[in-house]
């Protein structure tokens, strides 16, 4: 039974970036405004996420790591109206099975914190009272240590895994308005470096400056939403409906074509549906194709956060929730195309 759980857990938490993502999402769901991520040896020795969120009540210490324990949805119907990032109650239980998990937490209603150590089955090994501000710190030591083959593969590709994790973290830094992030790494030799540090602004542009520097921002234009005309609708095989209202809105920033600010690789593109980082492949393809019509051989910087009723999306199709099923996806593609074309025609290269 333990083995099965271990194998399944390896499918929930596929990589270092998924581990980080799950912990950061838990902090965001707990209402944190400060989130500090710390790594040792690029995450192979330790990954720690510390927040100033609501904390956990002692009555819940035992259930936290139970499979399918979640405080976030009570019935299946709630899935339609999902406001939180987590909802499956699989992350902590899986992380327990895959590494040594320690949680230090102080609930907002208490004035003492508790350090809880769990074993690989999610059972509490020890609890110790400690001093801490309100919030939660989750510490994972030696990720994948219970899956030797995976661990070997992970440490072999450490730099790549680490870079992927940084990309994922940048996405949260950009989209989480009013949340201050820091991320640092300490190497085996003891030298500490800051990977990113933001000051929790409410404007995406400010967050972009924090993460990528002021140069990046000078090239960005805002794309306004443009409802598609008959021609574009037809192109996507949509019969125009009498009700022409579009069930989407977005915040869309892209590097402008006149500044020729593209990059050789598409490593600065951030897509979100309802502020959830994701990889909507068709959307990404459209954006890059249109950009290339105006600016050959380069990729733009992209920040695109699509907002729609949560009932119209399904984030439950892959364990890492990166793939999203969007109702009316074709209409979304048509809207994005129209909006980009309208903007770029004003900025001929
Ligand atoms: P999910 O996020 O899908 O509910 P998780 O396994 O990620 O499941 O977390 C289990 C539960 O632990 C959450 O529902 C939440 O109640 C609690 N929890 C996890 N991380 C934190 C945190 N940083 N602050 C407060 N509560 C947390
Ligand atoms: Mg979660």
């Amino acid at each position: 039974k333990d083995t099965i759980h271990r194998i399944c857990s390896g499918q929930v938490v596929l990589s270092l970036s998924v581990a980080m993502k799950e912990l950061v999402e838990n902090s965001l769901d707990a209402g944190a405004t400060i989130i500090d991520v710390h790594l040792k040896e690029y995450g192979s020795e330790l990954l720690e996420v510390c927040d100033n969120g609501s904390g956990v009540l002692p009555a819940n210490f035992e259930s936290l790591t139970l499979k399918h324990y979640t405080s976030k949805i009570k019935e299946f119907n709630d899935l339609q109206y999902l406001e939180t990032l987590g909802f499956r109650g699989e992350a902590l239980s899986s992380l327990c099975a895959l590494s040594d998990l320690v949680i230090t937490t102080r609930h907002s209603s208490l004035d003492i914190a508790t350090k809880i150590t769990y074993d690989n089955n999610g059972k509490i090994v020890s609890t110790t009272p400690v001093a801490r501000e309100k919030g939660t710190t989750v510490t994972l030591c030696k990720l994948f240590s219970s899956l030797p083959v995976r661990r070997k593969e992970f440490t072999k590709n450490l730099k790549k895994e680490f870079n992927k994790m940084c990309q994922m973290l940048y996405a949260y830094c950009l989209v989480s308005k009013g949340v201050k992030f820091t991320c640092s790494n300490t190497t085996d030799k003891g030298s500490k470096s800051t990977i990113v540090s933001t000051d929790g602004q409410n404007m995406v542009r400010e967050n972009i400056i924090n993460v990528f520097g002021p140069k990046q921002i000078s090239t960005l234009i805002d794309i306004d939403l443009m409802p598609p005309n008959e021609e574009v609708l037809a192109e996507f095989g949509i019969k125009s409906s009498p009700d022409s209202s579009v069930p989407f809105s977005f915040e869309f920033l892209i590097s402008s074509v006149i500044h020729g600010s593209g990059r050789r690789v598409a490593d600065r593109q951030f897509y979100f549906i309802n502020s959830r980082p994701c990889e909507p492949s068709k959307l990404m393809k459209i954006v890059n194709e249109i950009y290339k019509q105006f600016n050959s051989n380069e990729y733009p910087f992209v920040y695109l956060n699509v907002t729609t009723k949560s009932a119209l999306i399904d984030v439950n199709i892959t364990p890492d929730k990166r793939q999203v099923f969007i109702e009316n996806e074709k209409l979304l593609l048509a809207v994005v195309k129209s909006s980009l074309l309208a903007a770029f025609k004003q900025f001929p290269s």
Side-chain angles (χ1 to χ4, degrees):
K1 187 172 147 268
D2 295 352
T3 319
I4 294 172
H5 183 44
R6 212 177 278 175
I7 294 166
C8 295
S9 300
Q11 288 167 349
V12 174
V13 179
L14 302 158
S15 61
L16 178 66
S17 46
V18 173
M20 183 281 295
K21 166 190 186 317
E22 292 294 342
L23 299 184
V24 166
E25 288 190 344
N26 281 346
S27 296
L28 291 169
D29 284 343
T33 54
I34 302 175
I35 299 177
D36 296 320
V37 180
H38 185 65
L39 300 127
K40 276 194 186 140
E41 200 51 25
Y42 306 97
S44 67
E45 292 305 307
L46 176 140
L47 167 66
E48 185 168 87
V49 177
C50 171
D51 70 47
N52 67 344
S54 61
V56 180
L57 277 171
N60 297 329
F61 289 170
E62 244 175 277
S63 40
L64 283 186
T65 52
L66 294 181
K67 195 158 170 55
H68 304 308
Y69 169 79
T70 177
S71 58
K72 297 169 195 171
I73 60 169
K74 303 253 158 4
E75 42 188 299
F76 188 73
N77 244 356
D78 295 351
L79 262 182
Q80 281 203 335
Y81 310 103
L82 209 57
E83 302 294 336
T84 53
L85 294 157
F87 53 87
R88 274 201 277 249
E90 283 189 314
L92 289 184
S93 112
S94 303
L95 289 167
C96 249
L98 296 172
S99 56
D100 300 329
L101 177 77
V102 177
I103 298 180
T104 305
T105 188
R106 180 176 142 196
H107 190 261
S108 39
S109 64
L110 302 173
D111 38 42
I112 186 125
T114 309
K115 180 177 169 181
I116 317 148
T117 309
Y118 295 90
D119 69 13
N120 286 141
N121 300 315
K123 293 262 153 37
I124 295 177
V125 179
S126 68
T127 55
T128 335
V130 288
R132 189 202 189 283
E133 300 284 290
K134 182 196 102 165
T136 304
T137 303
V138 179
T139 311
L140 302 174
C141 286
K142 303 225 185 252
L143 187 62
F144 301 127
S145 52
S146 65
L147 296 175
V149 180
R150 180 82 68 93
R151 168 93 191 157
K152 211 170 157 194
E153 196 61 18
F154 166 51
T155 47
K156 206 174 85 194
N157 299 315
L158 190 57
K159 278 283 154 65
K160 213 173 114 201
E161 290 288 314
F162 174 74
N163 285 335
K164 260 175 59 189
M165 190 219 72
C166 292
Q167 271 306 106
M168 181 81 92
L169 187 64
Y170 297 156
Y172 288 100
C173 291
L174 300 185
V175 80
S176 313
K177 292 177 184 169
V179 182
K180 281 167 89 139
F181 281 90
T182 60
C183 178
S184 59
N185 177 60
T186 308
T187 62
D188 267 349
K189 299 191 182 76
S191 69
K192 186 171 171 175
S193 58
T194 300
I195 292 143
V196 69
S197 164
T198 70
D199 42 32
Q201 299 289 336
N202 282 311
M203 294 246 312
V204 173
R205 280 180 183 267
E206 301 283 343
N207 292 338
I208 294 175
I209 294 177
N210 282 169
V211 178
F212 296 113
K215 236 176 160 176
Q216 184 73 71
I217 204 81
S218 66
T219 68
L220 298 185
I221 53 172
D222 284 278
I223 306 293
D224 294 322
L225 191 141
M226 195 61 80
N229 60 22
E230 298 283 323
E231 192 189 329
V232 176
L233 284 173
E235 204 182 305
F236 287 91
I238 304 166
K239 292 189 202 81
S240 59
S241 62
D243 170 20
S244 60
S245 70
V246 169
F248 306 107
S249 62
F250 58 49
E251 183 167 16
F252 194 177
L253 293 168
I254 191 165
S255 39
S256 71
V257 281
I258 24 172
H259 293 295
S261 51
R263 299 173 64 82
R264 277 180 34 234
V265 283
D267 63 347
R268 290 207 179 159
Q269 303 202 348
F270 301 92
Y271 297 83
F272 310 86
I273 310 275
N274 293 345
S275 300
R276 204 182 258 287
C278 60
E279 289 166 4
S281 50
K282 288 184 188 147
L283 196 57
M284 294 160 81
K285 197 164 158 242
I286 290 270
V287 170
N288 285 291
E289 269 172 16
I290 295 170
Y291 186 85
K292 276 193 185 167
Q293 285 174 22
F294 293 87
N295 200 357
S296 54
N297 296 325
E298 292 193 321
Y299 294 97
F301 177 101
V302 178
Y303 174 94
L304 172 53
N305 186 6
V306 177
T307 306
T308 182
K309 284 207 199 90
S310 49
L312 295 178
I313 63 166
D314 181 356
V315 292
N316 211 6
I317 52 180
T318 52
D320 64 356
K321 305 175 200 144
R322 294 286 284 173
Q323 309 266 355
V324 187
F325 182 78
I326 311 163
E327 199 168 307
N328 292 321
E329 185 179 42
K330 283 182 181 162
L331 183 58
L332 176 61
L333 299 178
V335 170
V336 165
K337 179 164 184 172
S338 306
S339 308
L340 270 181
L341 285 177
F344 284 165
K345 278 173 185 157
Q346 292 173 35
F347 295 95
S349 49

